[in-house]
Amino acid sequence: MNPIKFLEPTNFTEAISLLDQHADDAKIIAGGVSVTLMLQQKLIAPSALISLGHISNYAFIRHEKDGLHIGALTKLRDIERSDVVKKFCPALAYTFSVVANVRVRNQATIGGNLSAADYAADPPAMLTALDARVQVQGAEKNREIHLSEFFLGFYTTALEPNEILTEVIIPTLPSSASAAYHKYTSISAEGRPCVAVGAVADFDNDRKCSDLRIAVGAAVETPQRVRDAETLAHGSTLTDELVAAIADEYSLRLDPLTDVRGSAWYRKEMIRVFVKRALEEVRCDR
Amino acid sequence: MIGESVPMLDSVARVMGTVDYMINLRLPKMLFGKIVRSQAPHAKSLKVDVTNAMRIPGVVAILTGEDLGANAFYGVAIKDQGVVAVDRVRYVGEPIAAIAAESLDAAEQAAVLIDIEYHELPAVFDAQDAIQAGAPNLHEKFPNNIFKHAKLRHGDMDAAFAEADEIFEDTFTSPVAQQASLEPHVSAAQWDGEHLTIWTASQAPFMVRKSLSEIFGIAPEAVRVIVPSLGGGYGGKGHIRIEPLVAAMARKTNGRPVKFVLSRAEEFVTVTKHAASITLKTGVKRDGTFTARQATLYWNGGAYADASPMLVPAGMVRAVGPYRIPAVHVDSYGVYTNLPPAGAYRGAMSSQTTWAYESQMDIIARKMGWDPFEFRMKNLFVSGEHFATGEELHDVHFVECLEVSAKGLGVPSPLTPLPKGEGQGMRVGRGYGVMMKSTVATSKSQARLKLKDDGTVTLYTSTVEMGQGGHTTMAQITAETLGVPLRAIKIIGPDTAITPFDSTTSASRSTSMMGNAVIAACGTMKKKLFELGSPLLETPVDGLRTENGFVVADEISISFGDILKRNDLNTVEESGEYSTSFGIDPETGQGVATPHWHQGAGAAEVEVDTETGRITILKYSAAAFAGRVVNPRMAQLQNDGNVIFGLGPTLMEEIVYDGGQPINPNLADYSIPSIRDIPAELISICIESGEGEMHGIGEMTLPPVAPAIANAIEDAVGVRIKDLPITAEKILRALREKSQR
Amino acid sequence: MILNVNGSRHEVEAGTRTLLEVLRDDLGLVGAKEGCGIGMCGACTVLVDGKPISGCLTLAEQVPGKEILTIESLEKNGQLHPVQQAFIDERAFQCAYCTPGFILSAVALLNENPNPSEDDIREYLSGNLCRCGSYQNILKAVVEAGKRLR
């Protein structure tokens, strides 16, 4: 068996040309959490690992005019602790603070976390609710993908084999908006989420909801929004009745999966509970 | 020394990471082992072709069923398990072949090249399915798959049930779980001619020795078993595990040692906790006394009997409970299924049985209008009463255990009403559990002391140090009994070539059994020192005592070392032994089940989120009867540990199978308690008695955890969960069913 | 490839082995151990540039040029680190297989946050598992070590 080459490009262009050279046979490694796991469990046997560890300038968090920009190589722990993120959206910092454990957060990058497309993860639901998009660099061109179109299925994204996620952009929230993230662990507190709910709501001067986005993750293959349920809120005060109606609609419309953390039946119930609780939190904020 | 909270002897090594766990063992010319396992739950006509695998550079030898002799079957009582599979496989994960190679990489490359063919057979995974007519049969000698039926017959059941005003019948289940010590099973073996040395992370070195000597047809003395400190055992390293395979592999490597380290996934197919289904039929009178109990227990033993022929009868005795019940019948069945063999799991069999009888206690109390606490107090055994085996109970402290644990919740009285939960849909409840557990009825411990002329004392003991502090405890007992400072004591063992016999480090027996052997050895050593010292001190033997390494007369003393020197001795060695020989009649279960009874209780206060079913344990208070505590802080730590460990099977632990294939054999999908899962308030107390008999405390506060929590849940929200683990989903389902009624 | 471990430079041939494998097999630093192999249990915790990571989920190739600290670095001139001493004083271990990981995590926590609340400690250490169930005393030990270090 040939040893696996460990390649260390110093920029994304070089990384992509290395990907092209190795066709389907190379694997990108950023923080290393998921790639090392797959290597150790012999789920992958690439001819080369293309490490992004020597690419500088992509571990950044910047609040720009159009929103928050986070470089793909930023560690989850740095996002969690960033004052810029906390100021931009406390719920986003909180979301990153509840991912796995402190060791994983010290190691894992936001680009790696999203590209792994693990359904039982925390950031995808919150970022989807925040209407985030990702910058992607390819051999020929760069493109932007809305997170709502990024996750295609279990461990599958819209990235082409020779594309790399380079940056995440989260549009600035109006000052009248608020966000919440609810992670529900059903077994051990230390487990992965059974249900993840990210919610963002904006309110007009009469405390009526002008915009609402709720994304449910971990219970479904990819983060899901139910637009019909969201629009129920538009122009209305988030009363208990309305909150319950939206939560019911989410529960009814989503088709959750079954795993060791809960059956589809239970997850439908928990989607109702945690959509409700997330809405109560964003409502309460105002 | 006894009663002092000295730190563990090797504390510094423990915080520096230098403990000599098996995983660190490296031997000259050592090879690396890898096991190839069955993917099928049940198959026959097994054919294994190693031709391609042998071509991998670095592969030294491959072990298959063809290498095995007729004796290559083992088991504690029923020798049904092959060292590797021969012709037939009976569970997913069963070893089919093993590889020894120069590197783990080479062994792993070869593993995937071993060609395996077999003809799949229908399989059965549930014990009650396995005993049905027409179910797949695992072993021809046991056509109904029942390999053990233990019976207890005490009293006239028909008459006793006729006397009852109410009869309750409930079934409680526990799933397959895994001990999950952080250190996996690790063993290394080396042959020198017909002599075998095996280094292994085992709780039972002498069982390993006996078993290996039988398998390989050599004298027990030709097998040397060396056991370093363990990174946790919890029963999972009891009895015989991977040692036969490792030794058989090493037999093919021309004298080179070979070491096997199991992966986490392999742990899940190596040993498990018995799944159990327990039905209790209990007769009660309106005055709150019992008339009769019929207990029917089905233990899922997995594909091989392993230690179950011993554990199934133990489970029978442990199923009765600590209450006065005039007539008791128990039928305890050990059943083969196509799952990995089951073994002891901390609180062995008692966890499953206490779950049943303590859950039913609350069902009965609530139905008959008794407060569950008072109902228990009214019926708990006291010393001098007779158990269902007919034996008289001595040094019994169940009432005290329950009272102390209830008090630990910090309420004026167990009858004080609880406040409702804080927040919408939150409800608070309180519950109790009491347990009564036997230890090993017949077992033996030996200890040997070597005193040197420099005054140091070496204790040779086969008690395994697995985190319980067994070696520190033995050193304290030695220091106290012999009258030497703790720092003069060194502990060696277990190493069957140099340390004397001990049955096993399990069933919370060591402090009591080995402790008494050490006391006996100290006694003979003292006697010897008095004899040697008497002329030197010009004092008769009965005027002497020991203190701090000296033999002391009225006004004069001499150090142990000087006594030896003055007698021209370099060393003096003395031994001690302690054994118990009890037992019950196999047909009636009558006799003496245990030298003493393990006693423990717990009280829980939980909060239930009625929207999610998720519970939070607000407070947990545990009490264990310890007799005489050797090291209070370590005893308390172990008691705490029992409760925390017990939260696992109570709330989260279950191996989930799909067609016999475990789907969650990793610590992400099989959760064990984390620091965020423990009760906000946890206290544990050891109860001592004036009589001074030392009891083990390794398990006592564990079995009450599950029923105490289930009982607290019913107190909070009125639903009864009968199937472990108590997940949020089960609670929510039960709440929904209740609201629909 | 050069690794900077416990203040010394080590030349190693890592291939695609994990940092944990290289530390244990090549450098003989056996305090870190594999427990779960998937980053859940923390028995393999080591500090990289002061931050705890899972040695089992890090390739050695990822860490040249970084400062790697293992449990073996804490004791200096026969003097235990205050966190190690507090673990002994509070009886914060039983089988101790997990202990080096807990201690390194606690050292990193106390560097980051010298005065953590009990909740902070629970949060930070929640990814270190102790099957013996010594958590209560571990909490006490970290609180005590914090006091001694302040």
Side-chain angles (χ1 to χ4, degrees), chain A residues 1 41-42 98 100 183-192 260-267 269-270 272-274 276-277 280, chain B residues 105 108-109 424 426 609 611-614 651-653 656 663-664 668-674 676-677 727-729 732-733 736:
Chain A
M1 214 162 61
Q41 304 194 336
K42 310 217 182 308
V98 297
K183 171 184 190 167
Y184 175 59
T185 56
S186 57
I187 310 285
S188 163
E190 206 33 42
R192 308 208 292 163
V260 292
R261 291 175 285 275
S263 69
W265 171 81
Y266 186 62
R267 280 186 152 111
E269 297 301 312
M270 291 307 97
R272 177 186 293 118
V273 171
F274 287 93
K276 184 190 85 171
R277 290 184 185 182
E280 284 168 350
Chain B
D105 255 0
E108 283 174 348
Q109 284 176 48
Q424 193 190 340
M426 302 305 246
D609 179 338
E611 287 188 340
T612 62
R614 191 89 158 85
L651 301 175
M652 46 191 92
E653 291 179 36
V656 182
I663 64 164
N664 58 340
D669 297 322
Y670 181 96
S671 294
I672 61 173
S674 78
R676 286 197 292 160
D677 294 309
T727 58
E729 176 163 352
L732 190 73
R733 254 182 216 283
R736 290 294 160 78

Side-chain angles (χ1 to χ4, degrees), chain A:
Chain A
M1 214 162 61
N2 290 324
I4 303 170
K5 280 181 283 184
F6 195 83
L7 307 171
E8 299 184 293
T10 54
N11 58 56
F12 280 116
T13 309
E14 206 186 314
I16 287 154
S17 82
L18 287 169
L19 267 180
D20 264 341
Q21 283 167 33
H22 288 86
D24 281 350
D25 203 24
K27 197 85 193 159
I28 294 280
I29 174 167
V33 171
S34 67
V35 171
T36 308
L37 198 61
M38 289 190 282
L39 277 175
Q40 290 291 96
Q41 304 194 336
K42 310 217 182 308
L43 297 173
I44 51 170
S47 64
L49 292 176
I50 302 169
S51 166
L52 307 183
H54 283 222
I55 297 179
S56 47
N57 303 330
Y58 275 86
F60 62 77
I61 300 168
R62 284 195 298 262
H63 192 174
E64 294 177 13
K65 248 186 275 163
D66 63 336
L68 188 73
H69 292 239
I70 303 178
L73 300 179
T74 312
K75 306 285 190 195
L76 306 189
R77 181 89 174 133
D78 293 330
I79 304 172
E80 158 197 357
R81 287 162 61 85
S82 156
D83 290 333
V84 175
V85 177
K86 283 181 193 163
K87 191 158 165 257
F88 176 85
C89 175
L92 182 61
Y94 169 75
T95 305
F96 282 91
S97 79
V98 297
V99 175
N101 56 51
V102 70
R103 295 185 309 281
V104 167
R105 300 199 296 277
N106 278 331
Q107 229 184 307
T109 63
I110 186 170
N113 181 282
L114 297 179
S115 302
D118 186 339
Y119 74 97
D122 295 287
M126 187 72 245
L127 288 169
T128 301
L130 284 166
D131 232 355
R133 52 193 200 275
V134 294
Q135 289 278 350
V136 169
Q137 187 171 334
E140 253 91 85
K141 59 176 175 41
N142 299 348
R143 60 180 180 135
E144 222 173 66
I145 309 175
H146 253 271
L147 219 51
S148 55
E149 287 154 9
F150 181 76
F151 300 108
L152 301 183
F154 293 117
Y155 311 102
T156 316
T157 67
L159 291 174
E160 297 295 330
N162 60 354
E163 283 184 324
I164 302 177
L165 193 165
T166 57
E167 190 175 329
V168 180
I169 303 161
I170 302 136
T172 305
L173 290 175
S175 61
S176 49
S178 71
Y181 178 68
H182 281 244
K183 171 184 190 167
Y184 175 59
T185 56
S186 57
I187 310 285
S188 163
E190 206 33 42
R192 308 208 292 163
C194 169
V195 171
V197 177
V200 179
D202 194 9
F203 299 90
D204 63 22
N205 292 334
D206 303 331
R207 302 185 61 205
K208 292 204 162 57
C209 187
S210 54
D211 191 16
L212 178 65
R213 295 189 298 271
I214 305 167
V216 172
V220 279
E221 205 174 321
T222 60
Q224 298 289 319
R225 288 172 60 185
V226 178
R227 311 283 168 144
D228 295 349
E230 290 173 351
T231 51
L232 286 176
H234 292 174
S236 302
T237 310
L238 285 180
T239 60
D240 288 352
E241 293 71 30
L242 184 53
V243 164
I246 294 167
D248 282 343
E249 197 61 19
Y250 264 84
S251 175
L252 187 73
R253 296 279 291 277
L254 295 181
D255 185 16
L257 50 88
T258 293
D259 65 16
V260 292
R261 291 175 285 275
S263 69
W265 171 81
Y266 186 62
R267 280 186 152 111
K268 255 187 186 297
E269 297 301 312
M270 291 307 97
I271 289 168
R272 177 186 293 118
V273 171
F274 287 93
V275 166
K276 184 190 85 171
R277 290 184 185 182
L279 282 174
E280 284 168 350
E281 189 184 330
V282 291
R283 173 182 74 176
C284 198
D285 250 22
R286 300 322 311 162

Side-chain angles (χ1 to χ4, degrees), chain C residues 4-19:
Chain C
N4 173 359
V5 183
N6 298 338
S8 313
R9 289 158 57 83
H10 298 269
E11 201 175 326
V12 296
E13 278 290 333
T16 42
R17 286 183 300 153
T18 62
L19 176 58

